[in-house]
Each structure stands twice: as C-alpha cells, then as structure tokens.
Amino acid sequence: MSTALTTKLTVSIVASQSNPLLLGTVTLPIIKKYEFTWPSGVGADQADRLFTDTRTLAASTSESLDLAGVLTDAFGALITFSRINALIIAAAAANTNNVLVGGAAANQFINWVGDPTDIVTVRPGGLLMLVARDTTGYAVTAATGDLLKINNSGAGTSVTYDVIALGRSA
C-alpha cells in the first residue's frame, strides 16, 4: 500500500524598525509570510517522499546522506528521491561547533550550490532552508549526484541537527 503525502511549509517574519525623531517616532512594520503547499504526487509542485530525522555527529566527523535508495521514511520504507522540493537543516542551539552542509568528495548532490566544494555553515541554533517550486526542483541522480555531506566543524564536542527532505520519486 502506498502512502499519501500532503505538505504545507510556512515561513514568516515579523519585525519592526523604528527611528525616534524630534516630534515622534517613525516605525516601519515588516510582516511577510511565505507559504508553500505540495499535494501528493510526482508532478510539478507535488511531493511524494519525505525524510525526517534528528542526527548527532561525533566531534570532527561527517556523514553523507544518500538521497537515492538508502534513507527510510517514517514507516521504514526505502526512499529514492529524484527531485528535492525542500530541504531543511537545523543545527541544535546547544551545539558548540557548526554544522557544515555540502562538499562531498564524490557523487555530490550539488545542484543547489555553484561548485562541488561549496559548503554552507549552519551555526548553532541556525537553519538552512532550500525550496524549489518548479518542475525541476533540485535533481538527485542515483550513484552520481545523490550524496549530501553533513560535517561537524570541529573537535571536542558532538553536534546535533534536524534534517527534513521533501521531494519526488519521479
């Protein structure tokens, strides 16, 4: 039996910038909300695969998440992504070291950066988020472009991070 997946991702910012003047204060409120929804399926603007986990890396170690056929979903079924629609990496606030994303030595999942050696630093309590709404998304190519490297930036302490990958099987 296949599972159905419906997803809604909401990101919002509420900020207020003010400047006290002689006769009053000028305030600029910023309220912006981005909302993404994906019904179950394999077409444009759809998703049928989800991987979520909280993971811990020992000091100075790394791991490569294989997005094509090694990860399992919440029901224990193998997941093979052909496209990634959304990717979230959230570093735990209690981390001392940074979580480094990208830079796998081979078979890199890299079409979200400019170069195979590019690495994004996610500082303690920080978040990396990618969203693609188009037909292409971020393509995953089994055996040649499917490894997402996650690295603990330093010695001495472990790092914990959450990973959420949403995408399509075709």
Side-chain angles (χ1 to χ4, degrees):
M1 174 189 281
S2 65
T3 60
L5 173 68
T6 56
T7 309
K8 181 178 192 177
L9 172 64
T10 304
V11 180
S12 63
I13 184 167
V14 177
S16 179
Q17 187 175 22
S18 61
N19 186 13
L21 302 173
L22 291 176
L23 297 175
T25 300
V26 177
T27 302
L28 173 66
I30 303 294
I31 301 172
K32 189 68 179 170
K33 181 178 177 182
Y34 302 92
E35 190 170 277
F36 309 95
T37 56
W38 293 277
S40 192
V42 296
D45 238 358
Q46 295 180 325
D48 69 336
R49 297 291 181 260
L50 177 68
F51 173 74
T52 63
D53 201 3
T54 297
R55 302 173 77 88
T56 300
L57 290 173
S60 301
T61 63
S62 66
E63 66 180 341
S64 290
L65 302 177
D66 188 338
L67 300 173
V70 174
L71 303 176
T72 57
D73 68 12
F75 305 105
L78 282 176
I79 301 171
T80 298
F81 288 104
S82 69
R83 310 270 179 214
I84 295 292
N85 295 24
L87 177 67
I88 298 172
I89 305 289
N95 289 348
T96 300
N97 298 335
N98 299 322
V99 174
L100 306 178
V101 183
N107 302 335
Q108 307 94 337
F109 170 63
I110 59 163
N111 58 12
W112 57 280
V113 293
D115 186 89
T117 61
D118 287 345
I119 295 172
V120 175
T121 299
V122 183
R123 302 192 52 77
L127 176 78
L128 167 66
M129 183 171 66
L130 303 170
V131 176
R133 299 280 311 255
D134 60 0
T135 303
T136 305
Y138 297 102
V140 175
T141 307
T144 62
D146 58 355
L147 297 182
L148 177 64
K149 184 177 179 184
I150 310 291
N151 190 35
N152 180 338
S153 71
T157 62
S158 62
V159 294
T160 299
Y161 70 97
D162 294 335
V163 56
I164 301 171
L166 172 75
R168 301 191 302 269
S169 61

